[in-house]
Amino acid sequence: MNPLTLEWIDKAEGDFTTALRELRARKSPNYDAACFHAQQCAEKYLKARLQEAVIAFSRTHNLTVLLDLLLPVEPGWDKLRAKLLALTAFSVAYRYPGASADKDTAREALNFCREVREQVRLSLGLTP
């Protein structure tokens, strides 16, 4: 596997761990951060898959843009579109004043993230 792909995976796993920790925190959980890190995990996993496929990508946080780049090599992933759209929205909606995520929203974001993580890991020959 490409060394840069492995770096993307390591960064994605860091975000996954942080999202889990914030969702499970008993004292002062930060559900906004759980949503943000769930999006970041999915983003970095998509970029890892793009990197491994040698598909150029720009600096974007829009997960459906990354998905569209991947569809020629992973056509079955279009089923993830609605979840990636939601994750993109979750990451922005709760980062600034005006809205806050609750536990159910954070759980949903993490579930969407898990599905993306599993698909990419399987595609890369890693254990889900």
Side-chain angles (χ1 to χ4, degrees):
M1 191 174 304
N2 181 306
L4 190 51
T5 302
L6 292 171
E7 286 186 50
W8 280 112
I9 291 167
D10 286 344
K11 293 289 187 181
E13 283 299 300
D15 283 308
F16 186 67
T17 300
T18 300
L20 281 172
R21 183 173 48 242
E22 289 305 321
L23 180 63
R24 294 175 177 167
R26 290 185 180 193
K27 282 188 168 185
S28 303
N30 186 337
Y31 300 131
D32 295 351
C35 291
F36 174 73
H37 286 284
Q39 184 278 341
Q40 286 289 290
C41 175
E43 177 183 326
K44 290 168 187 167
Y45 264 115
L46 293 174
K47 289 178 176 179
R49 182 64 186 96
L50 286 163
Q51 178 65 43
E52 193 63 16
V54 192
I55 298 172
F57 55 91
S58 63
R59 289 186 175 205
T60 183
H61 302 295
N62 186 324
L63 302 182
T64 58
V65 167
L66 299 173
L67 173 65
D68 288 339
L69 292 172
L70 278 167
L71 287 179
V73 294
E74 299 288 358
W77 288 8
D78 199 47
K79 66 184 179 189
L80 297 172
R81 184 172 300 278
K83 293 172 182 175
L84 292 172
L85 189 61
L87 278 170
T88 298
F90 287 159
S91 74
V92 176
Y94 306 119
R95 289 182 62 197
Y96 303 101
S100 295
D102 59 18
K103 188 172 188 173
D104 288 338
T105 302
R107 187 178 293 119
E108 182 179 35
L110 197 57
N111 286 338
F112 292 171
C113 167
R114 273 191 182 107
E115 189 170 341
V116 173
R117 179 180 176 267
E118 181 177 314
Q119 288 295 311
V120 176
R121 290 183 68 83
L122 287 170
S123 177
L124 294 173
L126 302 170
T127 57

